[in-house]
Structure formats: structure tokens, C-alpha cells
Amino acid sequence: MAKDEQGTVFVLFGATGDLARRMVLPAFYTLAIEDLLPKDWILVGNGRGDVSHEDFRAHVHDVLTEFGPAPDTGPWEQFSERLRFAGGGFNSDDPGSLLDVISDARAKAGAGAQLVHYLAVPPAAFPEVTKALGAHDLAENARVVYEKPFGTSPEDFRKLDRLVHSVLDESQVYRIDHFLGKEATQDLHVLRFANELFAAMWNREHIESVQIDVPETLDIDDRAEFYDATGAVLDMLITHLFQVAAEVAMEPPASLGAVDLQAARETVIRKFRPLDPAEVVLGQYAGYRDVEGVAKRSRTETYVAAKLWIDNPRWRGVPFLLRTGKRLAKSEQRVNIILRTPSGPFRSLPDQANVLSFSLSGSGEIAVSLLAKRPGVELELDPASVRLPLAELPAAEPLPPYVRLIHDVLVGDRSLFTRPDGLAAVWKVARPLLENKPRPATYEPGSWGPARARKLAAPHGWLLGQ
């Protein structure tokens, strides 16, 4: 890949926070290892503390040692020389030392360097950082990355959206959802649109149901304060799971370019039926309230299972079953497209025997489950499956989702980022649930969540776990 001749100054707000440590800094170093960064670049960390450039470099070294890629596996010396830190915080009234550090960085990366601002800060800080970018002349021609959730309620979304567009043009805004950066998520539309075998059956006549299942064995770790203010509905359901559902359900776009792909994704989201709270099960694992940072009487859900309907000719009557939760029996990220049981000469075929499955974990995997004749004299059927790990494709070079998405920001590709019209529709879909949330049922850690979630997947049940 040819090097971008334009320099880049990448400003990482919240540079010493948990998200930067776990995701953004490791992804940026991976880009350096893969030689996918611009020819000239500087990364400027920003935070409240008075941290020297040398101390920030030591911090990044520790981060990479803990979360990888380990600094001894790549160009650490050259990488570390391009790290800077601007302390003193950053707001409309006081930019701290950021303006001076950016000025110096531009001298290093080139006067016309592209500014990229990455807001790895709590959602509550988005408005003030955005206003400050405008107040200190750091918004013009810049690209700005917002983490999820983009807003915490329909009203908060609209307010934030107006503010962002008062400072930035929509073309400058990159609302990140790392599930869209997963290799197998992208194959949800590529496999379908590039293969008539799948395109022909991608409708209600052939598909019985779709299950998007993201159970996690993980706890909330040191995210307790953030998680207790957010919960599984905001953290996972109306962000990741809705976006993956749109990838499955969208109509064929005019092209796979950014504008057409985004438009197809957002158009189908507008056909999502508002959630019926009676078709949603919330849960909270036993012991959650004992976690430091969690309110003692918290009703925050750590589990959600929901039935989603899409009101268009392709999907009318096909349930999309969405499920995620913490402290569950197994960690998976899987989309199961369950085909209808065929009519014909065979009798009493097992249900859910024909499944097209996408594992979104790691580099991704596609699997097909089917029935085949067991070799022998008798006409007997056996279930069989074929699996295609995407990393085993010839010349495969899979990138982790944050690596892929940050690279897309650097080159200006908005294909895998969300748009405000789609997010407005998401909040409309979620509003009935947010205004009338069921009380979370308690479930045991290591289980598959509240027992009543099984009814959502009746009559056949969840393919994973129960």
C-alpha cells in the first residue's frame, strides 16, 4: 500500500483511560507494525494530568506490554519518538497545553498535516470536547472519532447531534462501532451479494429466524461506574447488535462505496419495529451490586434478550433474536441464519438443521450446517457442517476491528461508520423499552441468563446454550 504523503497528527483524548489502554493504543501500534500509518505522523495524548512526553512513552510501553502487541515485537524505538503528551485537560475556556503541543507536532508532521481527534472519553464529555475543538480552531478540516454510545437517550442524542453539526460537517464525523469493523461482519454482506447461492435464499420464504448472540463470560472489570450508568441495552443492544442486524437485513446497495453502503444500512434500520417491552427480557447477575462502583440498589441490567421485527417485504414475520450479557456460561459472537425446514419427501426432519453461521470472534469464520445421507445401505440422515476460517483464505491479512477502523479514519473511508439518520431511527426503535424497562431478573453467574428468555426463542430455542 502506497504511503500517504500527507502527514497526520492523531490527538487521543482520554489517552490514559481504559479504552485507550485496551483498544486504541494497541491498535495504533499494530498499524505501525503493519506499515499502515502515514509516512509522517505524531500521536498526541491528552489528559488532565501533568505528564511529560517521556512518562507518556513509558505509559504506552507498559500498555503494550500488558495488552499487546508487545513493544519488543515491532518498531518501538521509532514509534515512541512520535509520541507526545498534552496535559492540563482541554475545554472551551482552557486548552491546557494541547495547542502548543499540536503546533510542535505539525512542525514535525508537516504544516498541512491532517488532524484526527479521537474521543476515548466518557460520553458525558463529548459535548464539551466538541465545543472546545471549535473554540480553539481545531475543527476545520479535521476528522473526529466518537465512541459509542453516541447519546444516552433519544433527547440526548438529538442535542449532541445538533451540537456536533454546529462545529463539524457530517463528512468529518466518524461514529465508531467496532462490531462493524469485524472481518466476519463485513462478510455478512459480501458473502450474500457476491454469491447467488446465498442471495437467492436471503428472504422470508427461506429464512425462519435470525439469532445474533453475544454472550460473555467477562465481568465488568474496572468499568463498573461507566457500566452501572449505561447497562447492556445502551452498551450492546442498540449499538452493536442493532448494527449487525442491519448488516444482515439491508437491501442490496447500489455499490459497496461508503455512501451507498451506509445508506442501505440506515434505510433498513428505519424499518425496525419499535421494541415491545413484553418481548424483551432483562437480567442482572447475582453479586453485581457487590462490585465496587455499583450502586447498592442498582437496577442496571447486565443481560438483555430481545425479539426484533423488521417491517418490510423481505423480512416481515421473521424474528431477529438478539441476546447479550455478562458473566454467562460461554463467550461467543455469532450470527445464526436459520433456514426453514423444507417440505417434500422427507418426514420429521429436525428443526434448525440448516443454518448459515458467522462467528464474529477473532478473524471470523463462516459455517454451514446441513443434513446429508449417512453412507450405507439405509437411507438415514446425519447432521454435518462445513467451516471456513477466514484467516485461512489464501493471502489473508486479517485486521482486528479497531485496527481496521482507525486505518479507515486515517484514509478517510466512512463505509463502516454510523450515520445520524440511522442512529435517530435506532433511538426511535428503543424508546418504548427505555420508557418502560422491565425489572431485571436475577441470574446466576455461569448460567445462560434468566430462564424466561427461552420463551423469546420458542418454539425451537436458542442455538447457543439452551
Side-chain angles (χ1 to χ4, degrees):
M1 182 177 294
K3 283 291 186 183
D4 189 342
E5 293 301 321
Q6 183 183 28
T8 297
V9 175
F10 189 92
V11 183
L12 179 56
F13 295 94
T16 58
D18 185 65
L19 177 63
R21 292 169 59 243
R22 293 177 180 272
M23 298 296 181
V24 184
L25 290 169
F28 210 84
Y29 190 53
T30 300
L31 288 170
I33 292 173
E34 299 294 335
D35 199 26
L36 291 174
L37 290 175
K39 181 179 179 181
D40 293 306
W41 62 269
I42 298 291
L43 187 151
V44 178
N46 175 258
R48 295 191 186 93
D50 185 15
V51 178
S52 69
H53 300 325
E54 291 75 16
D55 287 343
F56 181 58
R57 290 166 187 148
H59 167 77
V60 175
H61 188 280
D62 291 343
V63 165
L64 298 177
T65 300
E66 181 176 2
F67 296 105
D72 58 4
T73 62
W76 169 250
E77 293 302 324
Q78 301 94 315
F79 183 86
S80 64
E81 291 173 357
R82 297 170 181 259
L83 301 178
R84 309 284 189 273
F85 192 84
F90 180 71
N91 58 51
S92 300
D93 297 325
D94 183 1
S97 62
L98 184 59
L99 299 184
D100 291 336
V101 176
I102 287 179
S103 179
D104 291 342
R106 278 178 156 163
K108 174 73 173 177
Q114 173 71 58
L115 266 180
V116 176
H117 303 295
Y118 195 114
L119 276 61
V121 295
F126 290 172
E128 180 54 34
V129 174
T130 303
K131 287 189 289 187
L133 292 176
H136 299 297
D137 297 323
L138 294 178
E140 185 176 0
N141 297 323
R143 297 170 187 160
V144 184
V145 184
Y146 291 88
E147 274 286 344
K148 56 88 180 173
F150 192 80
T152 55
S153 70
E155 293 72 24
D156 185 54
F157 161 74
R158 286 194 295 270
K159 184 178 179 181
L160 177 59
D161 190 52
R162 286 194 298 268
L163 171 62
V164 167
H165 285 116
S166 73
V167 176
L168 302 164
D169 183 78
E170 173 61 22
S171 64
Q172 298 176 261
V173 181
Y174 293 73
R175 301 171 193 83
I176 200 166
D177 186 319
H178 76 271
F179 267 59
L180 293 181
K182 289 176 174 289
E183 294 285 356
T185 303
Q186 296 162 57
D187 254 306
L188 284 169
H189 60 255
V190 171
L191 185 81
R192 169 187 171 191
F193 299 137
N195 297 279
E196 182 62 18
L197 172 66
F198 300 109
M201 63 81 167
W202 214 270
N203 56 60
R204 62 192 299 270
E205 294 182 18
H206 302 287
I207 295 176
E208 175 195 85
S209 62
V210 177
Q211 296 187 10
I212 301 174
D213 215 349
V214 187
E216 297 180 275
T217 59
L218 297 175
D219 205 337
I220 55 175
D221 298 320
D222 51 359
R223 302 172 66 226
E225 187 174 344
F226 163 81
Y227 196 90
D228 198 46
T230 306
V233 170
L234 293 181
D235 189 44
M236 290 290 294
L237 179 67
I238 68 174
T239 51
H240 303 322
L241 302 192
F242 276 11
Q243 293 297 328
V244 174
E247 282 286 310
V248 174
M250 66 181 174
E251 293 299 307
S255 75
L256 294 182
V259 173
D260 292 332
L261 192 57
Q262 284 185 320
R265 192 185 299 124
E266 313 308 346
T267 296
V268 78
I269 291 175
R270 291 198 292 272
K271 297 297 183 180
F272 287 8
R273 187 186 304 173
L275 291 175
D276 181 352
E279 295 185 318
V280 178
V281 175
L282 302 183
Q284 184 186 93
Y285 68 77
Y288 170 76
R289 297 178 184 178
D290 297 328
V291 175
E292 185 178 353
V294 171
K296 294 302 180 185
R297 296 185 178 181
S298 174
R299 291 182 58 176
T300 297
E301 73 284 352
T302 61
Y303 172 100
V304 57
K307 185 178 289 186
L308 174 70
W309 303 95
I310 301 176
D311 290 328
N312 68 8
R314 184 182 297 274
W315 297 109
R316 190 167 287 114
V318 176
F320 279 62
L321 301 168
L322 316 179
R323 179 174 67 167
T324 187
K326 300 290 187 183
R327 298 292 303 276
L328 295 178
K330 188 177 182 181
S331 287
E332 283 258 16
Q333 297 176 359
R334 187 168 293 278
V335 177
N336 288 310
I337 297 172
I338 302 163
L339 303 184
R340 296 189 182 279
T341 302
S343 59
F346 289 101
R347 299 291 183 265
S348 302
L349 289 175
D351 295 313
Q352 299 182 318
N354 297 160
V355 180
L356 177 61
S357 181
F358 297 79
S359 172
L360 307 185
S361 301
S363 299
E365 179 183 83
I366 301 170
V368 178
S369 299
L370 46 78
L371 294 171
K373 178 186 176 298
R374 182 190 305 163
V377 175
E378 301 297 329
L379 181 56
E380 296 181 333
L381 302 182
D382 266 349
S385 63
V386 178
R387 300 183 180 277
L388 174 62
L390 297 178
E392 294 182 9
L393 289 173
E397 297 179 357
L399 295 175
Y402 267 89
V403 178
R404 167 63 191 266
L405 293 173
I406 292 175
H407 177 262
D408 284 357
V409 174
L410 295 174
V411 300
D413 185 346
R414 300 178 70 242
S415 303
L416 300 177
F417 295 84
T418 58
R419 287 193 338 195
D421 51 345
L423 291 178
V426 161
W427 287 111
K428 183 178 180 180
V429 174
R431 182 184 283 277
L433 173 62
L434 297 175
E435 293 179 345
N436 187 25
K437 291 178 74 171
R439 188 180 187 89
T442 302
Y443 64 93
E444 290 300 316
S447 71
W448 281 100
R452 65 174 181 246
R454 297 172 189 168
K455 295 181 180 179
L456 286 180
H460 306 312
W462 298 92
L463 279 177
L464 286 178
Q466 51 179 300

